[in-house]
Amino acid sequence: MAGLVKWRDADSRSITNLSDGHRVKLIGWVFTKRVHSNKVFFMLRDRYGYIQLVGDSERLGDAFKQVSEIPVESAIAVEGVVKRDPRAPGGVEVHIDKVDVVARADVWPITPSVAKSPEAMFDLRHLTIRGPKSRAVLLTRSALVQAAWEYFVNNDYVLITAPTFITSAVEGGATLFELKYFDRKAYLTQSSQFYEEAAICVFEKVFVMQPSFRAEKSRTRKHLTEFLHIEAEVAFADHEDIMDVEEELVKYIVNRLNELVPKEVEYVRGSRLPDIDSRFERISYDEAIEILQRKGFDISWGEDFGADEERALSEEFDVPFFVYGFPTVTRSFYHMDDPTRPEVTLSSDLMAPEGFGEITSGGQRIHEYDYLLSKIRRMGLNPEEYGWYLEIRKYGMPPHSGFGMGVERVLRWLLHLPHVRDATLFPRTPSRLYP
RNA sequence: GCCGCCGUAGCUCAGCUGGUAGAGCACCGGGCUGUUAACCCGGGGGUCCCCGGUUCGAGUCCGGGCGGCGGCGCCA
């Protein structure tokens, strides 16, 4: 921090505590500019927000013309005095008498009409992220990750990092990104789950926060080809236990966001996040099917929910809820079958309410070697591709459960964003690989 | 992979039954004592996505391709 003092001794946030006439040095970027014959108004943007700068020809003298010609988005350092004025946005402004252009900007390409075009905005994402909405979303994202981190660390979890290059699929093989790994084929990871399962035999409780990659050509508002995946895995834990963890985590995140970034949430969402204190309802897959049939959907037991079904179901709730006990045929091989009802698995999805749908997915994993081997064979997969993953079952693997959460999906739900691509700095979709 | 919509100025879009291209924003010049997407006056700016066809003539009609968007399936 000491290094910054030569540049600034106040900022857009701290300035509201200073009295009129206080002299300040500020740094930032010219967010907007309005020029009159003898006055210029800048909105200065810095890390904390916005503050209006006023330059008038009397105070600036000969420099006025030069100052009024500073292009939008130039980086500047200014000196001036604090002045409260009801006409200033936020009620405080700085009357400047000294301006340094630290880095002059070219003509700013983002115009009001560009802002109306999502494609144009994402083509210029390296610049459009400077806007107030992206700023608020990305700050909220940072706070969300912080909150999740806090939850895990406070509860004695250990952070691990899993490899990004892998050799076999966790989810369906069709959605693997293939790449050249010297003279071999490798893939980008879809999930760190298998590596977490190895690590729980050291730490009992582990979590990861890292990207997962899925080559799904999904044209929807809830899919990215690269997303931030928060996953956790817990030893000596059953399916009920892991639903408790997911519920606690989501509640912790929501309540913490209200503390960390209340203004940003309100700016984007239009309202404060409602506190969640009620217990998340847990409905079985069978109940969900009945609800949907009652609502007139043509769906029968054993089918996975389509988008319409998921939306309709989640509109029935105003806080998140679990759907558990999905049919064995609809879930990946590693899910443990319910011992009392082998046609369903000990698995669940946590659904965001109000039509947003799935935000986490979890369940109990198979921990016995012979059981897992037979299920791999039953589902037509090749056991040789799961060598080490099977082998850890030979060396003291206790019952265990885990889940994965899509950060962009949670953020989309919490902030009511139109698309998950709005929830990340540089989104990757089937058609977008740049910038 | 499937279904639907779209492609004209940097951006948003208009362009009728085919007759040789327009507006707003942005940009440039000028004006303006307090702006909140400032305003007022003036100016420059085009491979009408590509290829082929019909026609005296295609932004417009027909065929094919490419690209984008929305949705489905799949998922976090």
Side-chain angles (χ1 to χ4, degrees), chain A residues 160 194-206 392:
Chain A
I160 63 156
F194 290 1
Y195 298 95
E196 288 185 306
E197 289 185 63
I200 54 168
C201 293
V202 194
F203 299 118
E204 299 178 21
K205 293 154 89 170
V206 301
I392 52 180

Side-chain angles (χ1 to χ4, degrees), chain A residues 8 40 47 143 153 204 233 266 323 371 381 394 396 411:
Chain A
R8 81 161 140 218
V40 57
R47 179 249 174 277
V153 171
E204 299 178 21
E233 202 71 28
E266 183 146 7
V323 180
Y371 181 3
L381 299 166
K394 286 183 176 174
L411 201 57

Side-chain angles (χ1 to χ4, degrees), chain A residues 253-262 265 272-275:
Chain A
I253 287 172
V254 170
N255 295 327
R256 197 76 176 104
L257 288 182
N258 275 333
E259 294 167 1
L260 291 169
V261 284
V265 168
R272 191 188 142 84
L273 288 171
D275 292 313

Side-chain angles (χ1 to χ4, degrees), chain A residues 123-398:
Chain A
D123 286 342
L124 295 170
R125 183 72 170 166
H126 50 297
L127 303 176
T128 55
I129 51 172
R130 299 186 190 190
K133 175 118 186 252
S134 303
R135 174 184 177 277
V137 171
L138 294 168
L139 269 173
T140 307
R141 178 185 163 107
S142 171
L144 189 160
V145 172
Q146 179 187 333
W149 181 288
E150 285 172 2
Y151 172 82
F152 287 122
V153 171
N154 291 347
N155 287 284
D156 241 7
Y157 285 72
V158 173
L159 176 79
I160 63 156
T161 306
T164 302
F165 296 128
I166 56 153
T167 56
S168 61
V170 176
E171 302 300 328
T175 66
L176 284 170
F177 278 109
E178 187 180 313
L179 56 92
K180 204 168 160 274
Y181 191 79
F182 303 110
D183 53 354
R184 278 184 287 174
K185 263 189 216 171
Y187 307 93
L188 293 179
T189 183
Q190 302 164 304
S191 161
S192 302
Q193 180 194 319
F194 290 1
Y195 298 95
E196 288 185 306
E197 289 185 63
I200 54 168
C201 293
V202 194
F203 299 118
E204 299 178 21
K205 293 154 89 170
V206 301
F207 73 107
V208 303
M209 293 184 172
Q210 56 187 82
S212 285
F213 304 87
R214 304 220 176 144
E216 296 161 341
K217 281 195 175 169
S218 308
R219 296 204 51 87
T220 77
R221 298 159 189 232
K222 36 191 279 191
H223 284 86
L224 295 168
T225 51
E226 175 176 3
F227 65 97
L228 184 60
H229 211 174
I230 295 181
E231 296 174 272
E233 202 71 28
V234 182
F236 303 103
D238 64 19
H239 180 218
E240 294 285 324
D241 297 326
I242 207 68
M243 283 196 280
D244 290 344
V245 172
E246 291 173 67
E247 179 170 344
E248 275 181 27
L249 171 65
V250 169
K251 286 177 174 170
Y252 185 84
I253 287 172
V254 170
N255 295 327
R256 197 76 176 104
L257 288 182
N258 275 333
E259 294 167 1
L260 291 169
V261 284
K263 277 190 220 148
E264 284 73 16
V265 168
E266 183 146 7
Y267 177 72
V268 179
R269 189 181 196 271
S271 60
R272 191 188 142 84
L273 288 171
D275 292 313
I276 306 181
D277 31 34
S278 60
R279 188 178 144 83
F280 293 176
E281 275 193 65
R282 297 176 185 191
I283 64 166
S284 68
Y285 170 85
D286 312 60
E287 289 171 289
I289 291 290
E290 278 173 37
I291 291 171
L292 289 168
Q293 286 172 341
R294 230 178 301 138
K295 291 184 72 132
F297 283 94
D298 180 25
I299 186 169
S300 48
W301 199 96
E303 290 179 71
D304 220 336
F305 307 134
D308 290 344
E309 287 90 357
E310 187 180 292
R311 200 172 303 119
L313 194 60
S314 99
E315 276 165 0
E316 297 283 293
F317 296 82
D318 49 19
V319 292
F321 62 100
F322 288 97
V323 180
Y324 67 89
F326 286 92
T328 308
V329 289
T330 65
R331 299 306 247 198
S332 291
F333 71 92
Y334 53 75
H335 283 102
M336 187 142 158
D337 301 336
D338 185 336
T340 64
R341 274 183 78 193
E343 72 275 18
V344 301
T345 52
L346 296 174
S347 68
S348 53
D349 287 351
L350 181 61
M351 316 281 273
E354 300 157 329
F356 280 92
E358 188 178 349
I359 51 173
T360 80
S361 185
Q364 189 163 343
R365 326 303 192 186
I366 297 170
H367 60 282
E368 290 165 339
Y369 182 89
D370 292 336
Y371 181 3
L372 184 60
L373 182 63
S374 70
K375 191 154 176 189
I376 286 174
R377 288 194 174 126
R378 180 151 48 99
M379 298 195 91
L381 299 166
N382 179 6
E384 281 173 31
E385 285 183 27
Y386 300 98
W388 69 261
Y389 184 66
L390 270 163
E391 195 179 42
I392 52 180
R393 269 82 186 157
K394 286 183 176 174
Y395 300 94
M397 177 61 89

Side-chain angles (χ1 to χ4, degrees), chain A residues 26-98:
Chain A
L26 298 172
I27 50 173
W29 292 262
V30 176
F31 176 53
T32 59
K33 180 177 77 165
R34 293 178 196 91
V35 184
H36 296 253
S37 58
N38 59 358
K39 267 201 177 74
V40 57
F41 298 92
F42 292 115
M43 192 59 77
L44 185 77
R45 172 175 60 78
D46 66 18
R47 179 249 174 277
Y48 302 100
Y50 303 89
I51 178 80
Q52 176 157 282
L53 308 180
V54 184
D56 65 64
S57 51
E58 275 176 48
R59 209 177 261 269
L60 287 164
D62 296 342
F64 176 77
K65 189 166 191 300
Q66 258 185 305
V67 168
S68 67
E69 282 169 1
I70 296 171
V72 165
E73 286 302 324
S74 297
I76 59 173
V78 301
E79 292 184 34
V81 295
V82 177
K83 189 156 184 274
R84 251 146 267 267
D85 192 310
R87 294 169 295 186
V92 188
E93 60 191 18
V94 173
H95 288 249
I96 52 175
D97 46 54
K98 205 171 153 222

